[in-house]
Amino acid sequence: MIKVILLGSGNVATHLFQAFSKANGIEVVQVFSRTITKDFPETLQTSDYTEIKAADVYIICVSDSAISSVSSQLLFENRLVVHTSGSTDINVLDSKNRKGVFYPLQTFTKSKAVDFSEIPICLEAENVSDFKLLEKIAKSISKNVYVISSEQRKALHVSAVFVCNFANHLYTIGNTICVENNIPFEILHPLIEETAKKIKSLSPSEAQTGPAIRNDKKTIEKHIDFLTNENQKEIYKILTKSIQNGEKL
């Protein structure tokens, strides 16, 4: 049985705990956090660094800015400590312990269940034996496990911001426009779903449609004239120009 300790009690820690609880050969023996929370059994929780138990791996699931502080306050040495950040280098971890990264590439919300078996997990470690341990843990909860360096992870995280966070912000703008014009946003759900499905069989550039790629100037002008929000106008113009310029390798 591989013993795991989670350090943190946020979205990532909560979903990892749920996934590990269903996995064979993995036991979460403790959850460390500043406050006791209902998301984990009370008997497993501690907020005292001196009470942290022995385990095979310690997974830090805190904000990027807190990773260094948490890892430096750990009182033991020469154990495997990993973080779950997409944008943070492996070397931010304190050098008194062996370092690694266990990065699940997904957007997490505590109240929204996810199928962890489909979530890519990106791994990095300083030595082969630690990597093999992380790989075994990752494969116990996911079918998609990748070797990704800190430098690659930076690029991956920036890409994720574009396809997830920025895309969701565009959904927000679309929702606002619908609400202001008494249109149910649900009308756009099939379009959103089909757009996402298409890039599984086509490259994003091949799947691109719309007035910008067609250089339909009349429609573009109508859209810009319709928009009264200057921020929305600017975003529309920037994205239209980017599509027309072509994002190609």
Side-chain angles (χ1 to χ4, degrees):
M1 188 72 72
I2 299 173
K3 294 183 177 181
V4 173
I5 289 180
L6 300 173
L7 297 108
S9 58
N11 293 336
V12 175
T14 301
H15 282 284
L16 280 177
F17 179 80
Q18 293 169 354
F20 288 144
S21 296
K22 300 172 186 175
N24 294 322
I26 308 295
E27 180 186 6
V28 178
V29 296
Q30 197 172 45
V31 177
F32 173 88
S33 64
R34 290 174 295 181
T35 57
I36 302 300
T37 168
K38 61 180 176 59
D39 296 310
F40 312 96
E42 189 172 345
T43 54
L44 291 183
Q45 298 182 66
T46 183
S47 58
D48 188 341
Y49 280 99
T50 65
E51 294 181 352
I52 295 179
K53 298 179 180 180
D56 297 299
V57 62
Y58 300 77
I59 304 179
I60 297 177
C61 312
V62 298
S63 64
D64 292 2
S65 60
I67 293 172
S68 179
S69 174
V70 171
S71 68
S72 66
Q73 292 182 76
L74 296 174
L75 302 178
F76 48 78
E77 296 181 0
N78 197 32
R79 299 183 192 176
L80 179 56
V81 177
V82 306
H83 70 65
T84 56
S85 170
S87 61
T88 305
D89 194 278
I90 190 174
N91 290 318
V92 75
L93 294 165
D94 194 285
S95 59
K96 66 175 177 285
N97 283 297
R98 308 193 310 277
K99 305 173 185 177
V101 177
F102 191 94
Y103 170 47
L105 178 55
Q106 186 54 277
T107 175
F108 293 105
T109 302
K110 281 188 181 182
S111 59
K112 177 69 170 63
V114 297
D115 180 1
F116 230 103
S117 67
E118 299 294 333
I119 295 175
I121 300 180
C122 305
L123 304 178
E124 183 179 8
E126 293 182 306
N127 63 65
V128 174
S129 60
D130 284 342
F131 179 84
K132 287 183 177 179
L133 176 61
L134 293 179
E135 185 179 44
K136 187 173 182 180
I137 295 170
K139 287 184 175 180
S140 75
I141 59 175
S142 174
K143 297 182 293 186
N144 303 303
V145 179
Y146 297 87
V147 183
I148 299 290
S149 69
S150 286
E151 197 62 30
Q152 288 176 313
R153 204 164 4 92
K154 291 177 186 177
L156 184 60
H157 195 257
V158 172
S159 298
V161 168
F162 272 97
V163 303
C164 175
N165 306 128
F166 289 171
N168 190 73
H169 181 64
L170 296 180
Y171 298 157
T172 302
I173 292 174
N175 182 68
T176 298
I177 294 169
C178 283
V179 169
E180 289 175 347
N181 291 274
N182 298 312
I183 303 167
F185 182 66
E186 290 76 12
I187 289 178
L188 293 174
H189 286 182
L191 177 63
I192 293 170
E193 291 170 2
E194 178 60 22
T195 302
K197 285 179 184 177
K198 278 203 297 186
I199 60 168
K200 290 186 176 182
S201 57
L202 299 171
S203 70
S205 61
E206 289 173 328
Q208 186 69 57
T209 61
I213 198 69
R214 298 194 303 268
N215 196 29
D216 184 348
K217 294 179 180 179
K218 287 186 177 180
T219 298
I220 292 170
E221 288 172 3
K222 285 180 182 178
H223 288 173
I224 292 172
D225 289 341
F226 173 82
L227 294 170
T228 57
N229 182 296
E230 290 303 318
N231 183 54
Q232 293 174 4
K233 279 182 184 283
E234 189 62 23
I235 291 172
Y236 188 102
K237 290 176 182 178
I238 289 171
L239 291 178
T240 296
K241 184 177 181 181
S242 181
I243 290 169
Q244 291 177 335
N245 287 344
E247 282 292 334
K248 297 180 181 179
L249 294 175

